[in-house]
Amino acid sequence: MIINHCIIVKWNRDEYVVSDLQEIKRIFDNVKSIAGVYDISYHENVIARDNRFDLMIKIKMEESSLLTYDQSIYHKEWKEKYSKYILKKAIFDYEEEK
């Protein structure tokens, strides 16, 4: 089954720096090297309200690749570099439409 694995975050700081997104893209673009990972897209929030999240990273992959991704050096790098900046996080997985 092909899934979309969505990582949705709200930063715990007032100013989101554009260079952060470039670094996040650098980390996640490497995830494409994992077998069964097809695409990665980045979606920034366009409505500035306190009750909104700031960024969604969507990874299109085989369900069977999720464990490999979770254990990858790229996932660990993301968590190591950015978990301290995350106020809230949601993970949402859904099946790709056929």
Side-chain angles (χ1 to χ4, degrees), residues 29-46:
D29 283 349
N30 289 311
V31 172
K32 293 178 190 173
S33 67
I34 297 172
V37 173
Y38 301 114
D39 190 39
I40 300 174
S41 58
Y42 309 90
H43 308 274
E44 289 187 280
N45 180 40
V46 296

Side-chain angles (χ1 to χ4, degrees), residues 18-94:
V18 173
S19 62
D20 288 337
L21 182 57
Q22 297 310 312
E23 176 64 13
I24 290 167
K25 285 181 177 182
R26 183 199 62 75
I27 293 168
F28 278 93
D29 283 349
N30 289 311
V31 172
K32 293 178 190 173
S33 67
I34 297 172
V37 173
Y38 301 114
D39 190 39
I40 300 174
S41 58
Y42 309 90
H43 308 274
E44 289 187 280
N45 180 40
V46 296
I47 305 295
R49 292 187 183 167
D50 288 341
N51 65 345
R52 301 293 196 266
F53 283 77
D54 297 307
L55 176 67
M56 179 174 74
I57 302 164
K58 185 170 75 171
I59 306 171
K60 182 178 175 179
M61 69 172 88
E62 294 288 340
E63 180 183 11
S64 58
S65 300
L66 186 57
L67 182 59
T68 304
Y69 160 72
D70 282 343
Q71 296 173 346
S72 72
I73 60 172
Y74 316 117
H75 185 242
K76 291 175 184 169
E77 181 180 6
W78 153 252
K79 289 175 76 171
E80 186 177 292
K81 286 188 176 180
Y82 289 97
S83 62
K84 62 187 168 201
Y85 299 122
I86 295 174
L87 179 63
K88 290 190 244 180
K89 177 175 79 170
I91 305 297
F92 185 80
D93 299 311
Y94 65 96

